[in-house]
Amino acid sequence: MIILLAMLGLMISCQTPAVDGNATSRAKNVILLIGDGMALPQITLGMYHLDRMISLERFAVVGLHKSHAYDDLITDSAAGATAFSCGVKTYNGAIGVGPDTVAVKTILEMCEDRGMPTGLVATSTIVHATPASFAAHVKSRRDYEDIALDMSDSEVDIMIGGGKKYFDRREDEKDLLSDMQENGYMVSHFADKDLGELSFDVDQNVMYLTADSDPLPVAQGRDYLPQASDVALSYLAEKSGDKGFFLMIEGSQIDWGGHANNQDYVLSEFTEYEKVIGNMLNWAEQDGETLVVVTADHETGGLTINPGSRRDSLVTAFTTGKHTAMMVPVFAHGPGADAFAGIYENTAIFDKLKSVLGF
Ligand code: MG
Ligand code: ZN
């Protein structure tokens, strides 16, 4: 009888479509990599341009998500990231709030509640829509100072990104950086120390600001993302002990290249981000207990690769300066990765992460 029930259970689980589901295996750590505006056209462009096997080709599990917002087929990065962080479809511009503007708990906050250390790394300001949606709850993405206030009051263990001015030169004249220092953060910034010169122990939280406002594009000399990602990863790995960690790393400016309809901008940002993806995957493969998920919030630019293209001379065209509604690929590796196969809503990424982490 027991054997029969076990077999029945097996049959039922085999019939469950992967898209409903939720992971059966647990991961200790999650690294979520969001290439803003990095959908299939940008990945394809980068792959042919680089003319080698790219890190994304190493992922065995690939799925697609439907990126649309609550009331708009075309999402922005705020609604897109809130779908991942909170599991709700919301309006464009919403940061960690639902369509009714009420705050929704984020996956990062759930991890914090459980005592897992967390990290956010971006090549935009740290208060920009994508990182903000994991640690702030604000009606509008434009309210950068309100977002900074939320983030300074969050319990994110390590934050690396631009936007110093939103913390220390504010209309309300608060100095959030000294408040954070009082609350146990090691605070530093681009004008104080290079990232490589930072010394801290894991008892402290870390806030490192890479620029006063937006960090530069790679093509104009920004180069911190690979190092920042490694710093955040080793800090979290050491700090987490048995508890595991949650790390979100954004390649923010792939999107900005798309908005500018600038192929070289897209390529240089993609090339740097692709390297970071490879580094994180290398670490996760060694670790064996880490789920790595790579996706984008949306496609940007309506980019395509036209007839007449060769690898060394790609004939591209952009169809818009905005985002598009194209489905977006999701790449997964590690325990629980199988749940990311199939076609699903962007909000399902939240559900799957929650399930993999055992919430
Ligand atoms: Mg973004
Ligand atoms: Zn955009």
Side-chain angles (χ1 to χ4, degrees):
M1 190 58 183
I2 290 168
I3 293 169
L4 195 66
L5 282 175
M7 282 174 66
L8 198 64
L10 194 67
M11 284 165 66
I12 290 166
S13 70
C14 289
Q15 286 166 0
T16 306
V19 289
D20 285 347
N22 285 324
T24 46
S25 35
R26 294 281 172 86
K28 182 179 162 198
N29 313 306
V30 167
I31 304 175
L32 176 60
L33 295 142
I34 303 175
D36 200 312
M38 184 186 77
L40 277 182
Q42 291 73 23
I43 294 168
T44 310
L45 178 70
M47 183 183 68
Y48 286 136
H49 172 79
L50 291 170
D51 200 13
R52 59 167 167 77
M53 184 178 170
I54 61 170
S55 53
L56 289 161
E57 294 176 76
R58 294 165 55 195
F59 288 80
V61 179
V62 181
L64 293 167
H65 78 70
K66 304 178 202 177
S67 65
H68 70 85
Y70 173 69
D71 55 354
D72 196 330
L73 207 52
I74 314 297
T75 191
D76 80 336
S77 297
T82 299
F84 302 152
S85 66
C86 300
V88 295
K89 291 275 186 185
T90 191
Y91 60 91
N92 286 334
I95 301 291
V97 299
D100 53 4
T101 75
V102 174
V104 182
K105 183 167 274 210
T106 73
I107 186 94
L108 181 147
E109 291 162 343
M110 291 177 187
C111 292
E112 287 289 345
D113 287 351
R114 196 202 252 177
M116 295 167 69
T118 61
L120 295 172
V121 178
T123 51
S124 59
T125 67
I126 200 71
V127 295
H128 211 259
T130 311
S133 296
F134 286 83
H137 304 277
V138 170
K139 284 180 199 166
S140 166
R141 62 181 293 169
R142 305 273 162 219
D143 296 337
Y144 292 124
E145 295 193 356
D146 292 342
I147 293 170
L149 191 60
D150 270 13
M151 293 183 88
S152 71
D153 204 27
S154 72
E155 286 169 30
V156 183
D157 296 75
I158 184 163
M159 291 188 265
I160 305 176
K164 179 171 175 283
K165 68 180 181 185
Y166 300 111
F167 293 84
D168 67 356
R169 287 203 311 291
R170 300 165 52 84
E171 273 185 24
D172 62 12
E173 296 187 354
K174 286 183 181 161
D175 182 351
L176 301 182
L177 295 181
S178 50
D179 293 351
M180 289 176 82
Q181 246 159 348
E182 276 170 35
N183 291 331
Y185 272 85
M186 196 288 299
V187 175
S188 183
H189 54 80
F190 63 99
D192 174 32
K193 275 192 183 103
D194 283 345
L195 197 49
E197 296 166 356
L198 286 186
S199 64
F200 47 82
D201 62 67
V202 294
D203 296 337
Q204 295 174 294
N205 288 348
V206 177
M207 173 64 146
Y208 183 79
L209 291 152
T210 58
D212 202 37
S213 49
D214 288 332
L216 293 172
V218 163
Q220 291 172 32
R222 188 198 78 235
D223 60 2
Y224 70 76
L225 188 63
Q227 187 179 24
S229 302
D230 290 346
V231 166
L233 177 62
S234 52
Y235 168 90
L236 291 172
E238 188 185 334
K239 188 166 189 171
S240 62
D242 303 333
K243 287 186 173 147
F245 63 79
F246 178 89
L247 172 60
M248 193 290 294
I249 303 171
E250 186 197 19
S252 317
Q253 297 196 28
I254 302 165
D255 174 67
W256 302 358
H259 284 295
N261 286 3
N262 182 331
Q263 179 184 319
D264 292 340
Y265 194 173
V266 172
L267 275 173
S268 54
E269 295 296 328
F270 174 83
T271 300
E272 182 195 53
Y273 197 57
E274 186 272 338
K275 182 179 167 190
V276 170
I277 294 167
N279 293 345
M280 295 301 113
L281 188 55
N282 291 343
W283 187 89
E285 280 177 347
Q286 289 289 313
D287 177 67
E289 295 183 292
T290 301
L291 172 68
V292 181
V293 176
V294 185
T295 191
D297 41 6
H298 50 71
E299 196 278 336
T300 305
L303 175 63
T304 192
I305 299 170
N306 275 329
S309 290
R310 294 182 323 207
R311 284 169 199 270
D312 58 356
S313 71
L314 292 155
V315 181
T316 57
F318 291 91
T319 61
T320 177
K322 298 181 176 172
H323 304 160
T324 72
M326 284 293 113
M327 286 198 289
V328 173
V330 183
F331 304 84
H333 170 90
D338 288 349
F340 291 83
I343 299 180
Y344 40 83
E345 296 291 343
N346 54 359
T347 48
I349 291 175
F350 168 85
D351 299 326
K352 294 172 195 301
L353 291 176
K354 231 174 79 173
S355 161
V356 169
L357 286 167
F359 288 114

